[in-house]
Amino acid sequence: NTIELAGSDGGIYKSFDAGGTWSVISRFREGITLFEVNPENNFEIWAGNPRGQLFRSSNGGLNWKDISRSLNSFPKARDSKIIYYEPRSKTLYHGSGFGLLASSDKGETWTVLPILIPQEALPVEAIAVSRYSNLKLYIGAGKQIYISEDRGASWKVRTIEGRGIISEILPDPKNPDTIFVGFGSK
């Protein structure tokens, strides 16, 4: 019955009665552009703002730690497009104008996961992990989807025609060979 929500007004809201009533847990003055909750521990949350800052909370959003400095070594990484936490491998993925980064320590440090395009060529806008294997990653950049079956060590690429850029990737929970792709504006 617990629902967490990041509002466009910069508020983080929580409902304990399936959305009947809401409480403000915290508020970001600049707004929120990224929001991710650890599905195995809803006290662990990451949020980003329009200024490229990245924050982590380990107590459900009551207090926040600025972990933005960890991105400073990567040009255009503060042009954050998506954060995605994969609980089986305990990996936080970060897609940005830099490319693709992975963290095994909740965003304190980052490792570059090179995809087939050079860093900073196209922003990574979408990230998903297979429900069947946490080794299988899907990355969306432009009109291309990158697929890795070894957690980013090697990649296959497919171009998908559609209007706009790939902004969402959803692996089919019932068929490991099917993924759904959504397009957003450029």
Side-chain angles (χ1 to χ4, degrees):
N1 288 330
T2 302
I3 302 171
E4 292 167 293
L5 173 74
S8 60
D9 64 349
I12 303 226
Y13 303 92
K14 191 174 249 185
S15 173
F16 295 99
D17 58 4
T21 58
W22 292 89
S23 299
V24 177
I25 302 301
S26 58
R27 186 169 301 283
F28 286 78
R29 186 175 38 216
E30 294 88 8
I32 299 172
T33 55
L34 303 171
F35 188 72
E36 181 71 351
V37 178
N38 178 345
E40 292 184 343
N41 175 3
N42 65 359
F43 288 102
E44 191 165 58
I45 305 170
W46 294 267
N49 69 19
R51 294 180 36 207
Q53 292 176 287
L54 187 60
F55 302 90
R56 185 183 76 238
S57 175
S58 57
N59 60 4
L62 296 175
N63 302 98
W64 293 90
K65 178 181 181 184
D66 187 341
I67 57 173
S68 306
R69 280 194 160 149
S70 63
L71 298 171
N72 288 345
S73 300
F74 309 99
K76 296 186 184 177
R78 285 197 177 212
D79 179 18
S80 301
K81 305 295 183 184
I82 185 170
I83 50 176
Y84 182 94
Y85 185 74
E86 202 293 306
R88 294 168 294 176
S89 64
K90 299 188 181 342
T91 303
L92 180 65
Y93 294 98
H94 181 271
S96 69
F98 172 78
L100 181 62
L101 300 171
S103 175
S104 59
D105 59 7
K106 303 178 184 191
E108 295 292 329
T109 60
W110 297 95
T111 302
V112 175
L113 289 182
I115 52 180
L116 298 174
I117 56 173
Q119 263 73 32
E120 302 178 63
L122 279 176
V124 170
E125 303 264 355
I127 301 171
V129 177
S130 170
R131 296 172 188 238
Y132 298 95
S133 169
N134 64 2
L135 298 176
K136 191 166 189 176
L137 302 177
Y138 304 95
I139 306 302
K143 291 183 180 291
Q144 297 171 326
I145 188 162
Y146 296 82
I147 303 167
S148 175
E149 297 193 19
D150 52 15
R151 200 176 288 141
S154 63
W155 298 90
K156 297 178 205 171
V157 64
R158 302 284 187 265
T159 299
I160 300 178
E161 293 305 320
R163 288 193 161 163
I165 57 173
I166 296 173
S167 60
E168 293 289 334
I169 302 170
L170 177 65
D172 187 335
K174 296 181 180 177
N175 183 347
D177 297 324
T178 302
I179 58 171
F180 302 97
V181 177
F183 287 85
S185 60
K186 291 183 179 183

